[in-house]
Amino acid sequence: MLISFLLRRFIRSFVLYCLLLAALLGFGNIFLKLSLLSNVRALWIVFCALIPLMITFALPLAAGMAVYSIVSNLYLNDEITIIRSFIAAKRAVWGASIIFSALVTILYIPLVFHIAPARYGVGKQALLTLAKQQFDSLEAGVLHAPFPGAAFYCAQKKVHHATIYYTSLFLALYNKHNERYFFTAHHGTLHNDAFVLTDGCVYTITAGKHYAAHFKETTINIAQLLAKTNDFGTALKHPKFLVLKDLLPLCLQKNQAACYEFFKRLAQIMWLLLFPLFALLCALFCGAYKNRVLMGICWNGFLFLCSHIALTLAQVWWHIPALAFFLLFGIPVIILGILLWWYQRYF
């Protein structure tokens, strides 16, 4: 009876915290991409595409805060005394926390192995589509930055039968590898993804070298341009954006990046499994203090930071397998062991 009562309250609080944190992270991510968003519809499309990725970050914090807030609230009316005094009540609290942890982990596994990586590609594609639409709508006589890594200017612009005609145009591009390209042309046309420049020149700066060339006519594919400028194609090939069925074959081929990514996701699942138990122990230790809400936020934030530091260090020292696996799986076990020892000693 008490287990089901606590479990329902855990789930309600978890849903509330998860929605709140995912929304905050989602809008924060959208804020960083405002240069690509021209209207409210564009913002909504990108937000929906990227929200599963934000949920993967929100879930551990939400799970920890849900358990911490409910258990710490037992101190308000001295209900914690009953929990401490009766073995059955104490077991019910632990049982509800363990069941809740298992339920959240079951939800997290498909999210971290399939849904979030797959939706990342959808979100990137939505960003590219919106950037291309914004490129089509640029007005003449103004220097524009239609998307990160590009600048565009034209003296005149005319639209005829879905084809855009430009006069005296300038196009500057750069990418994360510090490669820069400057195009100038007397005329240009844009139809679908084909951007045709005539009577112009291109000036290239790469690896400290400079190149200049004149052309009678050249064609630039807008979709490829966006992908190259924003490293979209390279990003999607990275193991962290692969679903499980694409990741496992690379692991079997002993691809180091893929192996790390696979075990990193297992470690993330392990951290999430233990987060509610960490929160429960913290609530039992600190729930009596007046600033228990602040302490809960700091505790869960500290654990979340520890998990990401451990995962990052494991990637840095992946060439030392024993140390890397200790950082991935040993750190959370040690933290749990210390907290359980403290619990057994004082409770």
Side-chain angles (χ1 to χ4, degrees):
M1 186 70 176
L2 183 56
I3 290 180
S4 61
F5 170 76
L6 289 172
L7 191 58
R8 287 195 300 270
R9 297 184 69 179
F10 287 161
I11 292 174
R12 283 199 298 266
S13 295
F14 167 73
V15 172
L16 178 62
Y17 281 118
C18 189
L19 292 176
L20 179 61
L21 289 170
L24 288 174
L25 292 173
F27 282 115
N29 192 276
I30 288 296
F31 181 78
L32 297 176
K33 296 178 172 61
L34 285 178
S35 60
L36 292 177
L37 305 177
S38 55
N39 51 54
V40 176
R41 178 176 173 273
L43 186 149
W44 177 249
I45 291 173
V46 175
F47 177 80
C48 292
L50 296 181
I51 199 66
L53 195 63
M54 299 301 104
I55 291 178
T56 60
F57 295 102
L59 266 175
L61 288 169
M65 286 302 301
V67 173
Y68 180 87
S69 62
I70 296 302
V71 176
S72 64
N73 284 340
L74 297 175
Y75 284 90
L76 290 176
N77 300 316
D78 291 330
E79 295 169 325
I80 196 67
T81 305
I82 299 176
I83 302 298
R84 290 182 172 179
S85 302
F86 295 95
I87 296 178
K90 188 182 298 185
R91 288 177 178 173
V93 173
W94 277 97
S97 300
I98 292 172
I99 293 172
F100 171 72
S101 177
L103 292 175
V104 174
T105 303
I106 292 172
L107 175 66
Y108 194 64
I109 291 174
L111 185 67
V112 77
F113 273 116
H114 181 76
I115 299 174
R119 294 299 293 176
Y120 180 86
V122 175
K124 276 290 187 179
Q125 189 61 55
L127 284 174
L128 294 181
T129 302
L130 292 169
K132 191 176 72 170
Q133 292 175 354
Q134 185 169 333
F135 191 88
D136 294 346
S137 61
L138 300 179
E139 63 178 303
V142 179
L143 181 63
H144 299 276
F147 51 86
F152 179 77
Y153 171 86
C154 67
Q156 295 179 342
K157 172 185 173 182
K158 182 175 65 175
V159 181
H160 181 67
H161 295 305
T163 300
I164 306 175
Y165 297 89
Y166 300 99
T167 302
S168 300
L169 61 89
F170 166 80
L171 177 63
L173 306 170
Y174 66 91
N175 56 28
K176 295 180 180 179
H177 305 292
N178 204 29
E179 298 173 342
R180 300 175 183 271
Y181 306 90
F182 302 91
F183 295 86
T184 60
H186 289 292
H187 302 284
T189 60
L190 177 62
H191 181 72
N192 294 331
D193 287 342
F195 194 12
V196 181
L197 306 179
T198 58
D199 297 328
C201 62
V202 55
Y203 186 72
T204 305
I205 303 175
T206 176
K209 298 181 179 180
H210 306 257
Y211 305 93
H214 295 269
F215 56 83
K216 183 65 177 178
E217 181 177 291
T218 187
T219 302
I220 301 175
N221 186 289
I222 294 296
Q224 293 180 358
L225 171 65
L226 289 168
K228 182 177 180 180
T229 305
N230 293 277
D231 289 340
F232 174 64
T234 303
L236 290 185
K237 294 178 183 178
H238 195 283
K240 68 180 178 179
F241 303 124
L242 298 179
V243 298
L244 183 60
K245 67 181 180 64
D246 297 324
L247 187 63
L248 285 178
L250 292 177
C251 292
L252 295 176
Q253 296 172 12
K254 296 184 179 180
N255 182 295
Q256 293 300 309
C259 290
Y260 165 75
E261 181 61 27
F262 177 74
F263 286 108
K264 185 199 79 170
R265 296 185 193 184
L266 292 179
Q268 286 179 300
I269 293 171
M270 182 178 181
W271 275 99
L272 178 67
L273 183 66
L274 297 178
F275 246 91
L277 304 183
F278 292 153
L280 172 62
L281 291 167
C282 181
L284 294 175
F285 296 148
C286 308
Y289 294 100
K290 292 182 179 180
N291 57 345
R292 61 183 180 277
V293 176
L294 180 60
M295 294 185 70
I297 295 173
C298 293
W299 172 248
N300 284 283
F302 171 74
L303 287 176
F304 187 75
L305 180 62
C306 284
S307 68
H308 279 270
I309 291 176
L311 296 177
T312 303
L313 292 178
Q315 183 179 19
V316 173
W317 288 315
W318 187 246
H319 61 284
I320 309 176
L323 179 58
F325 276 90
F326 170 76
L327 290 168
L328 287 175
F329 304 104
I331 297 295
V333 173
I334 289 176
I335 294 176
L336 181 64
I338 293 173
L339 293 176
L340 287 176
W341 171 80
W342 196 1
Y343 174 80
Q344 292 290 339
R345 183 171 181 179
Y346 293 99
F347 291 90

